[in-house]
Amino acid sequence: MKAKVGFLGLGIMGGAMAANILRAGYPLMVHNRTAAKSEPLAEMGAGVASDPRHLAQATEIIIAMLTGPEALDACLWGPEGAAAAFNEKKTFINMSSVSPRYTREMAARLALTGAAFIDAPVSGTKKPAQEGSLVILAGGPREKIQELEPLLLTMGKKVIYCGGVGQGSMMKMFINLLLGIMMAGFAECLNFGRLGGLDFEAMLDTVASGAMNAPMFQVKAANLREQSYPAAFPFKHLSKDAKFVVDTAYESGAPVPLGQMLLHLYRLGVARGWGDEDISAIAKVMEHLSGK
Ligand code: NAP
């Protein structure tokens, strides 16, 4: 008998991840602040809870895939928050991207309820979420993560054990720092080449033909070619993560000059009104800075 799963947050990622849990045969209940986003899951057979507390009361394993700390605070400790229904029979898995510090503080607070807790953010975007091929970055007690692995593998192709609680979030910040640097670097280089008179397709061919190629470049090139940036990973979320990177680095003493620059560039894009577009819209920041 599979555990009853509750899923909080049916955005770009959560909607697809919840659907895969359901397809794998878990009894599923969902809740989303904007109720309409629950409808496709309800049509697939999921139950719909009116608020996070009812969701937590009716299920054993509660998963959150929310924007960040503000959304988690609201869903856990706000009016009708889930944490009031937590006890030693419940498990909470946070898959949202937050800082390691926030995760450790959340763990300390949740420990008072008796519920088990792991942090399990993901590497991969909309398509891997739909295909169930995310890479899951898990932090917390190793035996608990092993116990939860069959459920996690309904959403991902792999679970990487990152260490104690908070280290899944640390690994997520690590990989998103690399993602942000690669994406900004790609956009900067293409803009540099464009203003130097190079052909876009010839630049892509040069990247694809050498050791610098990366699958992400080929995926995001389509957006840059069409100058259309439908959100797979929203710009505003990478801006949020860049702030977590910079804060985390400040605490550990790690120099992150490129991370600082990333925060500046992504904030600029959000300020220009591009926060709901894809991270590849960093190309627009480069064009904006060049004034052409
Ligand atoms: P999204 O589409 O913007 O969805 C955000 C979710 O959080 C929605 O369900 C939203 O509810 C909910 N939410 C936001 N503020 C809330 C509040 N105050 N109270 C209650 N619910 C609230 O984001 P996403 O792309 O799925 O990303 C979710 C998380 O995964 C983020 O932490 C992101 O950084 C991370 N992530 C994203 C990607 C990606 O490629 N998209 C990849 C890896 C990790 P409403 O529907 O009501 O707005």
Side-chain angles (χ1 to χ4, degrees), residues 9-14 32-34 37 65-68 70-71 74-75 95-97 122 124-126 172 232-234 236-237 240-241:
L10 305 170
I12 295 173
M13 299 295 284
N32 194 69
R33 179 181 61 175
T34 305
K37 289 190 196 167
M65 191 55 165
L66 298 159
T67 307
E70 194 191 323
C75 288
M95 304 190 79
S96 334
S97 304
V122 303
T125 179
K126 184 178 174 181
K172 178 62 186 165
F233 183 14
K236 63 186 176 193
H237 291 347
K240 154 188 79 82
D241 293 344

